[in-house]
Amino acid sequence: MGDRQLIESHPLGLLARRWSKLASLTPDDCSALLELPFTVKGFGKEAYLVREGQQVNECALLLSGFAYRQKLLRNGSRQILSIHIPTEFVDLQNSVLGLADHSVQSLNGCEVAIIPIRALTELQQARAGIRMAMWIETLIDSSIFREWVVNVGRRDSKARIAHLLCELAIRLKKIGDGREWTFEFPLTQEQLADATGLTPVHTNRTLQALRKDGLIQLTARSLTILDWKGLQEVGDFDELYLHQETQASLGASGSGHS
Amino acid sequence: MGDRQLIESHPLGLLARRWSKLASLTPDDCSALLELPFTVKGFGKEAYLVREGQQVNECALLLSGFAYRQKLLRNGSRQILSIHIPTEFVDLQNSVLGLADHSVQSLNGCEVAIIPIRALTELQQARAGIRMAMWIETLIDSSIFREWVVNVGRRDSKARIAHLLCELAIRLKKIGDGREWTFEFPLTQEQLADATGLTPVHTNRTLQALRKDGLIQLTARSLTILDWKGLQEVGDFDELYLHQETQASLGASGSGHS
DNA sequence: CGTTAATTTGAGACCATTCAATTTCGGTGG
DNA sequence: CCACCGAAATTGAATGGTCTCAAATTAACG
């Protein structure tokens, strides 16, 4: 039943709450979710959770801190593929396919719940609601990658960075700490550059331009958006692709009730 | 049971065969798959199958011809997100989420099997094998998007185009028409440009460079790869991300037998 | 406070773009 | 079968956004 108490205190509680909205989980689904075996593990700054090419049979749910996925190129440069915030799975994809096609790294340090993929698979086999939640989670992930292709492929530096900031703002708001337009922003300019396909130097100049335009304030690991409308405009940002209001009820169906 | 005959002649037969390899479907799974309701539909050159922003409740399996997914930007430019060849679903993602976050377009004309997403969802609910096949299909899709982020984000024009050609070659080989290194290649240079985030003019010059290097031969809708090793090298291409040998047996498990 | 990481600045080179014009190609009708 | 047409491919030249390399400044942290 509705163990509010448990959901609050349990490490997987935030996941349960998020997925409830995503795929209308039943109370039973939630309890089952909370019974998943897991171990909590901490990672230091820039530590690898998974390396490209590695076999993977467990996946990590981010409890605190930030993490990102990335690929290294032969020439030494790297591309950051996505940035993850607490309550998100950073490694569902790698673990289901069994072989990591990209790396996962902690940003400044993070805490994760490690869950054996086998347990998650079994749970998903047994429960339609959880299955749908995982399914939708993956699809939204995929949609974000598509938008990133557009971002690095067709937008100039100003738009690229503005777009990334918009995306992070929306996503951070959801797990929000109250403040409306100010967020903890742990990315260095170099990391921001690797996420947008730019060089650190040019990223720096572009940030300055965004500041001069009065759109953002970015200092000391903290981002404040001064002009949301303007930033959205510059970044050609339309949040449709984040599918924030997606319910399993749409199209997909099979929403719960195994 | 193993209706070889049926699989050959049935429009969904190719899908059944492909998914069999992907997730070790049982004969029963295959039969069920072939019983999906569908209607065959043709699309002309550049015709839209789905438009961004549209509600979607059916999905399209490509039977013949090529199709691609794309997004238009406010400034009028566009980014092609993926290119699809026969036996692939072009619109699984949009239809499961219910709301299209990108458009799907025919290239020079194509034929598809339109399947109500409801039927596909029900089938997937009932059959673990098919569920796993769809799941893996989506994950590979996602992996390809990640690689495209890298491609447009971190490679120069020569590498970008070479990489795209490598990817298409590998994928085309799988549904191969016998010839080893020659493929029907229906993309115009403008479309190639939109897929790689370059301009048509520069795409043209880059193709010339690749030709001069003796890597490819590209004329009249036909691509021949003259030096696979070399092209791979130039394109920084590693096919791991295509997960060609992925079996459900890996990590994921839950491979069949509901 | 000293030390290292991160940010900022400058200047020159280069890759890719833009704009325009030309050539080639595939298809069509006379 | 050839002249014509529009689409696609190609070429040229100038511009510009981003990169590179290097150095200086500022912030973070023990």
Side-chain angles (χ1 to χ4, degrees), chain A residues 209-217 225-227:
Chain A
L210 291 173
R211 280 191 277 244
K212 201 167 61 191
D213 294 347
L215 297 171
I216 61 168
Q217 191 179 313
I225 294 179
L226 301 171
D227 176 2

Side-chain angles (χ1 to χ4, degrees), chain A residues 71 78 93 96 99 101-102 125 131 135 138-139 142-143 146-147 152 154 193-194 198 240 243 252, chain B residues 71 78 93 96 99 101-102 125 131 135 138-139 142-143 146-147 152 154 193-194 198 240 243 252:
Chain A
K71 283 193 181 191
R78 78 165 171 184
Q93 315 230 347
V96 174
L99 184 60
D101 57 60
H102 61 275
Q125 298 278 13
R131 181 188 312 157
W135 186 236
T138 308
L139 290 173
S142 198
S143 174
R146 285 192 287 276
E147 187 62 34
V152 294
R154 283 288 175 226
D194 282 338
L198 300 167
L240 172 68
H243 292 277
Chain B
K71 284 193 182 192
R78 78 165 172 186
Q93 315 229 348
V96 175
L99 184 60
D101 58 61
H102 60 277
Q125 298 277 12
R131 182 188 312 156
W135 186 236
T138 308
L139 290 173
S142 200
S143 174
R146 285 192 287 275
E147 187 61 34
V152 295
R154 282 288 172 223
D194 282 338
L198 300 167
L240 172 68
H243 292 277

Side-chain angles (χ1 to χ4, degrees), chain B residues 62-207:
Chain B
L62 200 51
L63 298 176
S64 70
F66 289 68
Y68 59 91
R69 305 198 245 175
Q70 55 116 323
K71 284 193 182 192
L72 287 171
L73 282 81
R74 274 213 230 95
N75 67 15
S77 62
R78 78 165 172 186
Q79 176 69 45
I80 289 181
L81 303 166
S82 62
I83 295 166
H84 292 283
I85 65 181
T87 79
E88 295 181 348
F89 273 108
V90 286
D91 210 23
L92 202 47
Q93 315 229 348
N94 275 335
S95 57
V96 175
L97 285 171
L99 184 60
D101 58 61
H102 60 277
S103 302
V104 182
Q105 245 177 312
S106 152
L107 206 66
N108 289 321
C110 68
E111 220 180 21
V112 302
I114 303 280
I115 304 172
I117 185 65
R118 171 143 225 105
L120 206 50
T121 303
E122 276 161 14
L123 182 61
Q124 170 259 113
Q125 298 277 12
R127 300 197 155 267
I130 287 176
R131 182 188 312 156
M132 191 47 76
M134 282 179 71
W135 186 236
I136 292 178
E137 176 106 329
T138 308
L139 290 173
I140 293 178
D141 229 49
S142 200
S143 174
I144 294 177
F145 288 131
R146 285 192 287 275
E147 187 61 34
W148 279 46
V149 172
V150 176
N151 205 37
V152 295
R154 282 288 172 223
R155 292 198 255 261
D156 66 20
S157 64
K158 218 163 161 178
R160 254 185 244 193
I161 290 183
H163 193 280
L164 180 59
L165 297 182
C166 286
E167 178 185 314
L168 283 172
I170 294 274
R171 286 168 55 210
L172 284 167
K173 233 171 136 123
K174 214 168 153 188
I175 60 161
D177 59 349
R179 294 171 299 177
E180 263 273 271
W181 292 112
T182 298
F183 313 97
E184 186 197 347
F185 189 80
L187 292 177
T188 65
Q189 292 185 5
E190 188 175 355
Q191 289 160 338
L192 201 49
D194 282 338
T196 48
L198 300 167
T199 54
V201 171
H202 197 62
T203 299
N204 179 280
R205 294 191 229 265
T206 306
L207 284 173

Side-chain angles (χ1 to χ4, degrees), chain B residues 205-223:
Chain B
R205 294 191 229 265
T206 306
L207 284 173
Q208 289 177 48
L210 291 173
R211 280 191 277 244
K212 201 167 61 191
D213 294 347
L215 298 171
I216 60 168
Q217 191 179 314
L218 178 56
T219 47
R221 303 287 114 93
S222 162
L223 168 70

Side-chain angles (χ1 to χ4, degrees), chain A residues 2-21:
Chain A
D3 306 64
R4 292 252 159 273
Q5 212 74 45
L6 187 55
I7 289 192
E8 297 302 331
S9 63
H10 194 286
L12 303 184
L14 288 172
L15 175 66
R17 188 190 302 159
R18 192 160 60 78
W19 277 9
S20 290
K21 290 182 203 149

